[in-house]
Amino acid sequence: MVALIHTTAGKLHLKLLSQVRNTLHSLLRRDIFQGYGSTTTGKLASHGFASMAAMSSFPPQRYHYFLVLDFEATCDKPQIHPQEIIEFPILKLNGRTMEIESTFHMYVQPVVHPQLTPFCTELTGIIQAMVDGQPSLQQVLERVDEWMAKEGLLDPSVKSIFVTCGDWDLKVMLPGQCQYLGLPVADYFKQWINLKKAYSFAMGSWPKNGLLDMNKGLNLQHIGRPHSGIDDCKNIANIMKTLAHRGFIFKQTSKPF
């Protein structure tokens, strides 16, 4: 009789465990970590449920490719006007694997303030010799378009979107300089994902210090030098990959122009 009771209790225990496991699996398969602005998202992240989801599956993203971009521009204290882009890096991130497939990276010759300030060099690590004799912004934008075409990113059937750390790069810097120089802004620069917003939706907190806070919040090592455009892109890509592996689905955050 005692043996029978123990056997029955054991079966009930296993059945309960199976039901709990199935319920958790069902919850994790739903969109609880995919909606922007969801309070559930932050709670999941803080309790480690996102990591559990990552172990079971890698959810498909809405885009075939993410184009990670981070400009560096002329600067000083007090700020100079107009600012001009001096570093133009883009990483092509595969939306399925979240791995870097291709890199575009050029330095740009400033024309309004051709001499870099000591403050700018100290902040960005870009010295005068790195921009002297480099193509103008107009020429670099033409090279970007050629690279986009070569990478198949202009194919209407391929969905891609730019990703920046903040809205400044594509809402302020590029359109502002293009307007000053009388240059058109390609349509593909007019929609993007602000990683700060995506991170705050996923983790439930705003990264006041940008990449440094996001790396810290995800227990990631910072890659390279802060305010190096190409290194910042690598950090953005690493943060995106980590969030994606936790089950986060990236969506456009910019408003239509």
Side-chain angles (χ1 to χ4, degrees):
M1 177 65 76
V2 174
L4 179 60
I5 291 172
H6 278 304
T7 302
T8 304
K11 287 180 179 178
L12 284 172
H13 182 66
L14 287 172
K15 185 176 180 181
L16 282 172
L17 279 176
S18 178
Q19 289 175 346
V20 169
R21 184 168 60 247
N22 290 338
T23 301
L24 278 173
H25 184 69
S26 175
L27 285 171
L28 288 170
R29 287 179 61 86
R30 288 162 56 186
D31 292 335
I32 52 179
F33 195 65
Q34 298 176 8
Y36 275 18
S38 169
T39 53
T40 310
T41 298
K43 293 176 182 177
L44 281 171
S46 63
H47 289 90
F49 284 108
S51 296
M52 289 171 64
M55 287 188 289
S56 61
S57 65
F58 185 91
Q61 295 292 328
R62 295 184 166 200
Y63 298 92
H64 297 112
Y65 296 100
F66 297 103
L67 305 175
V68 179
L69 176 150
D70 190 272
F71 296 138
E72 297 304 325
T74 54
C75 54
D76 203 1
K77 282 193 173 182
Q79 190 58 275
I80 57 177
H81 297 284
Q83 286 187 273
E84 299 171 86
I85 295 168
I86 54 176
E87 186 181 6
F88 203 127
I90 307 172
L91 299 180
K92 179 188 176 188
L93 203 64
N94 185 301
R96 184 176 56 82
T97 65
M98 301 306 285
E99 297 291 342
I100 298 168
E101 286 194 353
S102 182
T103 301
F104 177 92
H105 187 211
M106 292 189 72
Y107 291 98
V108 190
Q109 170 76 63
V111 294
V112 181
H113 302 286
Q115 195 71 28
L116 301 184
T117 64
F119 174 83
C120 183
T121 294
E122 182 180 351
L123 180 70
T124 66
I126 300 172
I127 61 174
Q128 192 65 40
M130 294 166 72
V131 297
D132 283 346
Q134 295 300 313
S136 66
L137 179 63
Q138 180 177 0
Q139 292 170 320
V140 171
L141 288 173
E142 291 169 357
R143 304 272 184 90
V144 169
D145 203 66
E146 292 169 1
W147 178 78
M148 296 274 288
K150 180 175 71 72
E151 294 294 329
L153 297 166
L154 302 184
D155 184 334
S157 66
V158 175
K159 290 189 67 177
S160 65
I161 190 168
F162 278 91
V163 184
T164 58
C165 184
D167 291 320
W168 174 83
D169 300 82
L170 294 177
K171 186 177 182 179
V172 177
M173 188 61 239
L174 182 63
Q177 189 175 355
C178 284
Q179 183 179 30
Y180 183 87
L181 297 172
L183 301 173
V185 178
D187 286 343
Y188 46 70
F189 286 126
K190 295 180 180 179
Q191 48 274 321
W192 64 89
I193 295 168
N194 177 345
L195 184 64
K196 291 180 182 179
K197 289 181 180 178
Y199 176 90
S200 70
F201 295 145
M203 302 299 288
S205 63
W206 183 261
K208 293 179 181 178
N209 296 308
L211 294 174
L212 295 176
D213 280 358
M214 288 186 271
N215 276 327
K216 184 177 179 181
L218 294 169
N219 295 315
L220 299 174
Q221 283 287 106
H222 192 88
I223 299 169
R225 172 198 173 101
H227 301 295
S228 156
I230 191 64
D231 287 347
D232 284 352
C233 284
K234 292 174 183 176
N235 281 285
I236 292 170
N238 199 31
I239 290 164
M240 290 185 70
K241 182 178 181 180
T242 302
L243 289 175
H245 274 295
R246 292 186 177 202
F248 190 71
I249 304 297
F250 290 92
K251 303 174 187 177
Q252 178 178 332
T253 62
S254 65
K255 304 293 183 184
F257 270 54

